[in-house]
């Protein structure tokens, strides 16, 4: 379906909103400024001798890439290919992967701030809401210590922002941003195909009034949102099979993949309960979900679909980790703040942001890598 057709189906009588900051150069300056604290954090962590096992494993996988090998035997060892290729191109050492992740953190925070600015959120509340994601140990750990996981999560945030621009604001470009971000994310995180399917399902629920009476809108959304991720995954599967005789060997080698340790339904229930526990310590998400339910109950299906996608991804054995799940839920909460919130709602969201930051620093499960990272950082 062409851009013109998509625009005709979904963008009738819609005034597109300006980007923030208004120019690409200013947006990148803001992204770099927001990434500086995480660059410093990565340097401090390295100076304290904190070992990033995730980034070290990524570096080892990157060393298996032989750019001049026409047999491509290494393809079975390098999924996810984009973070592995980045690690292979860096000078060496897990620190460099941490620095790349730190700069990506600035992009994520700018995307969140832009969404809030477009929604006319007051500056102080905007700052606190962005901090409710960025000033948490999980975000700090992922951005500086787990490049592969963080790139997948960062692209998830970009995709969500694009989906909301597409479904709520009627911006066709946002739909393509969502699809392309998920397509690239599929090369960083295999769980992306799960996200893409639920994203496409959530869009009509988020903007039911605009989709109602437009029979081509839902199929168009699935085409734009799901196809890039599905195509990327199938394309990689073909390449890996063609040159190694296997499909997603590195994913299938993980102990948790399709393991279902408590049985199929038992594991699903446990993963759902685990996601709900994360929701309980992200009050911004809870408040925005309540506000959505009060204004348009059917739109609550959007955030619920996102939670369901996290549940299914973990149930299938994709190792998201508690930190990644928390950051994704917190980002969804910020992205779904209502437009032009009243003074009382603004105060409520600001207070929830402060509480969320405080809750994030409590060591709920001391064995988690995030908690260990914080303990080593301040030891």
């Amino acid at each position: 379906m062409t851009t013109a057709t998509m625009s005709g189906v979904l963008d009738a009588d819609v005034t597109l909103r300006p980007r923030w900051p208004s120019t690409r150069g200013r947006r990148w300056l803001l992204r770099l400024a927001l990434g500086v604290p995480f660059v410093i954090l990565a340097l401090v962590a390295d100076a304290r001798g904190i070992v990033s096992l995730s980034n070290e494993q990524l570096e080892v996988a990157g060393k298996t890439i032989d750019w001049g090998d026409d047999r491509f035997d290494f393809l079975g060892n390098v999924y996810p290919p984009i973070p592995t290729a980045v690690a292979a191109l860096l000078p060496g050492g897990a620190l460099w992967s941490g620095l790349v992740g730190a700069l990506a953190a600035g992009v994520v925070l700018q995307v969140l701030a832009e969404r809030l600015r477009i929604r006319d959120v007051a500056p102080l509340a905007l700052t606190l809401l962005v901090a409710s994601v960025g000033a948490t140990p999980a975000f700090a750990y992922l951005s500086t210590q787990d490049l592969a996981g963080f790139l997948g999560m960062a692209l998830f945030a970009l995709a969500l922002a694009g989906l909301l621009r597409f479904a709520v604001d009627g911006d066709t470009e946002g739909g393509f941003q969502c699809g392309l971000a998920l397509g690239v994310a599929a090369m960083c995180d295999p769980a992306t195909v799960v996200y893409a399917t639920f994203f496409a399902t959530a869009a009509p629920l988020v903007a039911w009034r605009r989709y109602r009476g437009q029979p081509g809108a839902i199929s168009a959304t699935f085409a734009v949102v799901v196809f890039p991720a599905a195509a990327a995954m199938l394309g990689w599967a073909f390449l890996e099979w063609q040159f190694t005789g296997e499909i997603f060997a590195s994913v299938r080698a993980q102990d948790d993949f399709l393991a279902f340790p408590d049985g199929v339904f038992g594991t699903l229930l446990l993963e759902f309960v685990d996601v709900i526990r994360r929701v309980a310590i992200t009050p911004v998400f809870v408040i925005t979900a309540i506000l959505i339910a009060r204004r348009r109950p059917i739109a609550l299906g959007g955030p619920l679909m996102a939670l369901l996608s996290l549940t299914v991804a973990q149930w299938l054995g994709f190792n998201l980790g508690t930190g990644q799940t928390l950051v994704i839920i917190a980002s969804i909460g910020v992205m779904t703040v209502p437009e032009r919130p009243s003074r009382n709602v603004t105060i409520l969201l600001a207070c929830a942001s402060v509480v969320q930051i405080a809750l994030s620093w409590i060591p709920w499960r001391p064995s988690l890598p995030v908690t260990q990272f914080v303990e080593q950082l301040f030891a």
Side-chain angles (χ1 to χ4, degrees):
M1 183 172 289
T2 64
T3 304
T5 304
M6 285 292 298
S7 180
V9 171
L10 294 176
D11 293 350
D13 300 323
V14 174
T15 301
L16 300 186
R17 309 195 181 186
R19 299 294 305 276
W20 183 83
S22 57
T23 65
R24 182 175 298 176
R26 291 177 180 177
R27 286 196 292 274
W28 276 106
L29 283 175
L30 178 58
R31 291 164 184 167
L32 290 172
L34 291 171
V36 166
F38 299 95
V39 170
I40 296 173
L41 179 62
L43 293 171
V44 171
D46 183 71
R48 287 185 173 272
I50 297 177
V51 178
S52 170
L53 295 178
S54 298
N55 285 346
E56 283 193 340
Q57 291 172 357
L58 198 64
E59 183 185 6
V60 170
K63 289 180 179 179
T64 66
I65 297 178
D66 185 353
W67 299 104
D69 185 2
D70 57 0
R71 295 174 299 175
F72 297 99
D73 294 338
F74 57 83
L75 288 180
N77 303 317
V78 299
Y79 190 88
I82 290 179
T84 305
V86 170
L89 293 171
L90 292 173
L95 171 62
W96 287 94
S97 296
L99 294 175
V100 173
L103 294 176
V107 176
V108 174
L109 297 180
Q110 184 274 325
V111 168
L112 297 177
E114 180 178 20
R115 181 67 190 171
L116 293 171
R117 178 80 177 197
I118 291 173
R119 306 296 280 175
D120 293 328
V121 177
L124 178 58
L126 183 153
T127 302
L128 290 173
L129 284 165
V130 173
S132 72
V133 178
T136 62
F139 190 88
Y141 169 80
L142 287 169
S143 61
T144 61
Q145 306 297 307
D146 186 359
L147 178 62
F150 189 76
L151 285 181
M153 195 224 63
L155 289 161
F156 178 97
L158 288 172
L160 179 59
L163 178 70
L164 292 172
R165 285 169 54 202
F166 178 55
V168 178
D169 301 334
D171 185 349
T172 304
E173 182 184 353
F176 287 102
Q177 173 185 316
C178 177
L180 292 174
L182 289 173
V184 178
M187 295 292 95
C188 299
D189 186 347
T192 298
V193 173
V194 178
Y195 301 153
T197 303
F198 282 93
F199 268 30
T201 305
L205 300 175
V206 173
W208 179 254
R209 291 179 182 176
R210 291 204 310 106
Y211 277 81
R212 187 174 53 189
Q214 299 286 350
I218 295 178
S219 59
T221 300
F222 266 91
V224 171
V225 175
V226 177
F227 178 76
M233 293 290 284
L234 290 174
W236 180 263
F238 174 77
L239 283 176
E240 193 172 336
W241 171 77
Q242 180 70 23
F243 290 102
T244 70
E246 297 189 59
I247 296 178
F248 295 116
S250 58
V251 175
R252 291 188 291 106
Q254 297 177 8
D255 294 336
D256 294 335
F257 184 65
L258 298 180
F260 308 123
D262 294 284
V264 174
F265 294 106
T267 302
L268 180 62
L269 178 60
L270 288 176
E271 295 299 349
F272 177 73
V273 171
D274 186 64
V275 169
I276 295 301
R277 286 174 180 167
R278 311 300 164 220
V279 172
I281 57 174
T282 49
V284 172
F285 178 92
V286 174
I287 290 172
T288 55
I290 293 172
L291 292 172
I292 291 171
R294 289 183 59 188
R295 296 179 61 183
R296 196 165 63 248
I298 194 171
L300 184 60
L304 293 180
M305 281 292 177
L307 296 182
L308 189 57
S309 72
L310 292 173
T311 301
V312 171
Q314 294 186 168
W315 172 64
L316 292 174
F318 296 121
N319 187 18
L320 303 182
T322 303
Q324 191 172 346
T325 305
L326 277 173
V327 173
I328 289 175
I329 294 173
S331 299
I332 294 170
V334 172
M335 291 278 196
T336 52
V337 167
E339 186 174 17
R340 289 188 294 274
S342 66
R343 184 172 181 272
N344 289 338
V345 170
T346 299
I347 293 173
L348 182 62
L349 288 170
C351 292
S353 300
V354 175
V355 172
Q356 185 165 301
I357 294 170
L359 289 174
S360 72
W361 285 90
I362 298 175
W364 297 98
R365 293 167 65 183
S367 62
L368 287 175
V370 176
T371 303
Q372 294 174 350
F373 171 69
V374 173
E375 292 175 347
Q376 291 174 327
L377 195 64
F378 292 101

